[in-house]
Amino acid sequence: MREGKFAEGEHVLRAKIDMSSPNINMRDPTLYRIKHESHQETGDKWCIYPMYDFSHPIADALEGITHSLCTLEFEDHRPFYDWTIEKLRPTELITATPQQIEFSRLNVKNTVLSKRKLIQLVEQNHVHGWNDPRMPTMSGLRRRGVPPAALRLFCERVGISKADSNIDVLVLEDCVREEMDDSCLRAFSVLKPLKVTITNWDGKSSEHLAAYFPLYSGIAHFILHCVFALSGDLENFEVPRHPKRDEMGTRIIPFGKTVYIERDDFFDLEGPEGKANNSKPPKGFKRLLPNDMVRLRYAYVIQCNEIVRDPETQEPIELKCEYFPDTRAGVTPEDMPRVKGIIHWVEASKGQKCTVNQYDRLFLAEEPGKESGDFLKDINPESLEVISDVFVEPSVVEDALQAIEEMKDESTFSSLAYQFERNGYFALDESSKDADNLVFNRVVTLRDTWGAPKEESQGGQRNRGRGQQQQPAEGGGGAGVVEDVRRVAFRAATILSAEPHPDAESLLVCKVDCGDTSEDGKPEPRTVVAGLAGKIPMEELAGRKVVTVTNLKPSKMRGIESEAMLLAASNDDEEVELLS
């Protein structure tokens, strides 16, 4: 065998240990087999090679390994591991006594960790190499922008055990969010830009503000010019790089006559999306509408007065708006109603175009291949979306250029990452070369949206409480609303009236003022169906102050939709008292 006189598979070398052993690995395990292939270290010098079970304990002993951690399928191989060490120790070829310990392997939903399957993904070009950010490899996770601290936190939370388990990928994503929320810089990016022209902008906002300080107008004018550093037709806003960590410093955001906003932050009531929704905004939509107002974060309130459309598709390509100078930096004048919606933006002349790779889970199925029989059939065709012409604020370009230089000098990976506000966490990709070729990878979304039902737009519905989170809708137009069931909104309310339910003796139908108002500012009470009949006199309910839960989904109770819940308590005698 050593001299190469036999063909592959013609002979093997076995160790006859105990042919009566119930463990097949301890009967006559194969030690060497013939392989006529060149070795990366010894070339063609050898044509016999040890089997893994035989080389495993020897390599551990030679390398000084104290504990060899294996997965549970190697539990039956441990006796041969110990036998090999026991037989070689007296020869003094090895001196160490390593120990093999088995644990359950790490299985993560919506991905594969088998080397055989990962090789298949790479060789068949389902991914772009071993460092593809969708791959669960160290190089892939590093390129995607996953912080090392997030991986350590993930390992700490999942732990180790002897029982097989399938860890939800949400656990890993939550660890990434938790780490990046604390460590990442904040910045503005507009993924799908819509042009906004400020028709009444003249580049002299500081003079408008100085008019509000008539006794000190000269001082105000000077201070505003110094602090906000007006340059030409632009006004600069100095804002924090992180809302909770002052030590990260500040950044400058320019504002001018033309800005870009997210297309999803404008709902076109008169366009195709509006017609599909009966010319009504989606439920809970608080952003920009035609002839309505919204606040640009850190800047001013604007109002959309005109829509410029594409002549073929009728899609909005430009919004002509006016801004209100006295609403700077969150100020609401006394004579103006409070504007609830706040959106991000990027100034057009100073914003830099870049490319964003939006990565999602590589597989649609939690256990790829379990149902289909072929894990490749479960690949998510939308696991990568490349978005060009994304606009980012100037501070991002400055940081990115510095990071690119550091990567050139130190031949290392960039750790530059951002929370692009309202869009997610993104990291600079290693393919970025200069200011005109910046690429960012989405590491993780701001919150989990995987599998969340897409709520159909419903016209004329109010936003029920604070427990709802807005998510950008797919395609052009406004967004749907995903409720965050972990948050419960309590409101002080007043019962306006109560009457018996027409079809249920135990129920009362109440009109309750929960603080909602219609578009014209008038109170808009809710209908609440409560099981209070016979427990509290109906005539005592009108005018009562109560506590309500206002962000629950409306539900029908014997044919009448209840839009909130009254909180009450009862004792052992079934006496009921409303919380107030």
Side-chain angles (χ1 to χ4, degrees):
M1 289 174 63
R2 167 72 181 80
E3 295 173 354
K5 295 181 179 180
F6 303 110
E8 290 186 14
E10 189 173 353
H11 293 282
V12 296
L13 177 65
R14 294 179 179 273
K16 185 176 291 186
I17 302 175
D18 181 3
M19 297 302 294
S20 63
S21 173
N23 186 342
I24 193 173
N25 298 293
M26 292 299 291
R27 294 178 184 177
D28 57 342
T30 302
L31 303 185
Y32 283 91
R33 84 283 200 195
I34 300 172
K35 293 287 288 184
H36 292 289
E37 293 186 5
S38 296
H39 191 271
Q40 68 270 17
E41 297 292 340
T42 59
D44 297 324
K45 183 178 180 181
W46 296 89
C47 61
I48 58 173
Y49 292 93
M51 301 297 289
Y52 176 79
D53 278 356
F54 184 55
S55 63
H56 179 199
I58 298 175
D60 287 347
L62 293 175
E63 295 174 4
I65 302 298
T66 58
H67 295 79
S68 179
L69 306 182
C70 303
T71 49
L72 290 175
E73 59 263 33
F74 288 94
E75 188 172 10
D76 291 339
H77 299 248
R78 192 196 325 143
F80 181 63
Y81 184 101
D82 296 338
W83 180 88
T84 303
I85 296 296
E86 179 185 347
K87 295 302 180 182
L88 289 178
R89 278 291 300 278
T91 67
E92 297 184 353
L93 294 175
I94 61 173
T95 57
T97 308
Q99 180 182 359
Q100 175 178 306
I101 302 177
E102 305 84 19
F103 297 98
S104 62
R105 63 172 292 163
L106 175 63
N107 297 304
V108 181
K109 294 180 180 179
N110 298 100
T111 190
V112 292
L113 297 175
S114 163
K115 292 188 291 292
R116 176 180 59 83
K117 293 181 178 179
L118 293 177
I119 291 173
Q120 195 172 347
L121 288 173
V122 174
E123 292 180 347
Q124 296 183 9
N125 297 320
H126 296 290
V127 295
H128 304 144
W130 287 99
N131 67 340
D132 188 299
R134 293 167 292 181
M135 291 282 280
T137 57
M138 293 304 295
S139 59
L141 293 171
R142 181 168 50 199
R143 182 173 183 179
R144 184 160 179 166
V146 175
L151 294 180
R152 291 193 292 268
L153 180 60
F154 173 70
C155 293
E156 179 182 339
R157 288 184 176 175
V158 300
I160 54 176
S161 70
K162 292 279 189 177
D164 287 324
S165 60
N166 201 8
I167 306 300
D168 199 320
V169 70
L170 288 176
V171 179
L172 174 59
E173 292 177 350
D174 285 341
C175 292
V176 174
R177 289 189 191 96
E178 184 173 328
E179 175 61 27
M180 298 191 76
D181 177 65
D182 180 66
S183 61
C184 281
L185 303 170
R186 270 38 172 188
F188 287 164
S189 72
V190 177
L191 303 185
K192 298 177 181 179
L194 175 61
K195 182 179 179 181
V196 173
T197 301
I198 310 298
T199 56
N200 61 332
W201 176 261
D202 59 4
K204 299 178 181 179
S205 177
S206 63
E207 295 181 2
H208 290 302
L209 282 175
Y212 287 86
F213 303 92
L215 297 179
Y216 308 98
S217 57
I219 297 175
H221 184 86
F222 173 77
I223 292 176
L224 289 167
H225 268 286
C226 293
V227 175
F228 304 132
L230 286 172
S231 175
D233 290 335
L234 299 181
E235 178 181 356
N236 290 340
F237 291 83
E238 184 176 3
V239 302
R241 282 183 171 267
H242 194 290
K244 300 177 182 178
R245 299 183 61 180
D246 295 338
E247 67 272 18
M248 287 189 173
T250 60
R251 69 189 199 270
I252 299 298
I253 303 178
F255 180 83
K257 188 176 184 64
T258 304
V259 300
Y260 290 110
I261 66 170
E262 292 285 358
R263 172 63 184 90
D264 292 339
D265 283 339
F266 175 72
F267 189 82
D268 186 9
L269 295 176
E270 302 169 0
E273 62 193 17
K275 293 178 181 179
N277 201 41
N278 298 321
S279 297
K280 296 179 180 179
K283 178 182 177 182
F285 189 84
K286 294 183 180 179
R287 286 157 283 165
L288 190 57
L289 297 168
N291 302 313
D292 204 353
M293 295 186 292
V294 75
R295 180 177 291 280
L296 300 181
R297 182 160 167 79
Y298 297 123
Y300 300 97
V301 171
I302 62 172
Q303 177 173 302
C304 176
N305 296 327
E306 183 181 348
I307 304 172
V308 180
R309 302 182 183 277
D310 184 288
E312 296 182 0
T313 64
Q314 295 301 304
E315 268 289 307
I317 57 175
E318 180 182 358
L319 305 180
K320 294 189 176 181
C321 305
E322 65 174 316
Y323 87 109
F324 299 88
D326 50 349
T327 61
R328 190 187 198 281
V331 175
T332 300
E334 294 182 359
D335 57 346
M336 175 183 287
R338 179 174 173 270
V339 178
K340 295 182 179 179
I342 302 176
I343 61 176
H344 63 278
W345 50 278
V346 171
E347 199 278 326
S349 65
K350 296 296 183 180
Q352 177 66 46
K353 283 187 178 182
C354 68
T355 300
V356 163
N357 296 323
Q358 292 214 121
Y359 292 104
D360 208 334
R361 301 177 189 180
L362 186 56
F363 293 94
L364 295 171
E366 290 188 350
E367 299 182 51
K370 182 177 182 180
E371 299 293 335
S372 62
D374 182 2
F375 78 102
L376 295 176
K377 293 181 180 179
D378 294 325
I379 289 180
N380 179 11
E382 299 178 355
S383 62
L384 170 60
E385 179 187 8
V386 180
I387 306 177
S388 303
D389 297 333
V390 174
F391 281 88
V392 294
E393 65 177 71
S395 68
V396 175
V397 183
E398 297 173 6
D399 296 338
L401 292 178
Q402 182 178 348
I404 291 172
E405 288 301 317
E406 292 175 355
M407 285 192 289
K408 291 179 181 178
D409 296 340
E410 302 178 10
S411 299
T412 183
F413 291 90
S414 170
S415 60
L416 179 63
Y418 289 93
Q419 182 194 106
F420 286 158
E421 296 192 24
R422 302 177 65 240
N423 280 325
Y425 295 97
F426 294 78
L428 183 68
D429 187 72
E430 62 184 34
S431 64
S432 301
K433 302 302 181 184
D434 51 46
D436 295 324
N437 296 278
L438 296 180
V439 180
F440 287 89
N441 299 325
R442 185 173 72 180
V443 186
V444 69
T445 56
L446 289 178
R447 61 182 67 84
D448 174 54
T449 57
W450 183 263
K454 295 178 182 177
E455 185 174 330
E456 297 182 1
S457 298
Q458 299 179 16
Q461 295 291 332
R462 299 187 300 268
N463 180 17
R464 297 299 187 188
R466 300 179 179 176
Q468 297 173 334
Q469 302 292 333
Q470 294 177 352
Q471 286 287 347
E474 297 181 0
V481 178
V482 178
E483 293 190 2
D484 184 352
V485 297
R486 294 169 296 181
R487 299 178 62 189
V488 179
F490 297 99
R491 290 192 194 176
T494 304
I495 299 178
L496 303 178
S497 64
E499 58 184 26
H501 193 291
D503 298 323
E505 295 181 356
S506 62
L507 299 178
L508 295 179
V509 181
C510 305
K511 290 292 183 182
V512 182
D513 182 3
C514 299
D516 301 309
T517 57
S518 60
E519 294 181 357
D520 57 3
K522 295 181 179 179
E524 197 167 1
R526 302 192 189 192
T527 299
V528 179
V529 181
L532 299 176
K535 298 178 181 178
I536 297 179
M538 189 169 55
E539 58 272 15
E540 296 181 5
L541 291 176
R544 287 281 296 271
K545 301 291 185 182
V546 293
V547 177
T548 57
V549 179
T550 57
N551 66 332
L552 301 178
K553 291 183 178 179
S555 61
K556 285 191 174 181
M557 300 183 66
R558 299 296 295 270
I560 298 179
E561 187 172 75
S562 182
E563 302 171 309
M565 177 187 292
L566 303 181
L567 294 187
S570 63
N571 56 21
D572 295 337
D573 297 329
E574 297 185 355
E575 295 177 348
V576 176
E577 182 176 353
L578 287 169
L579 299 184
S580 59

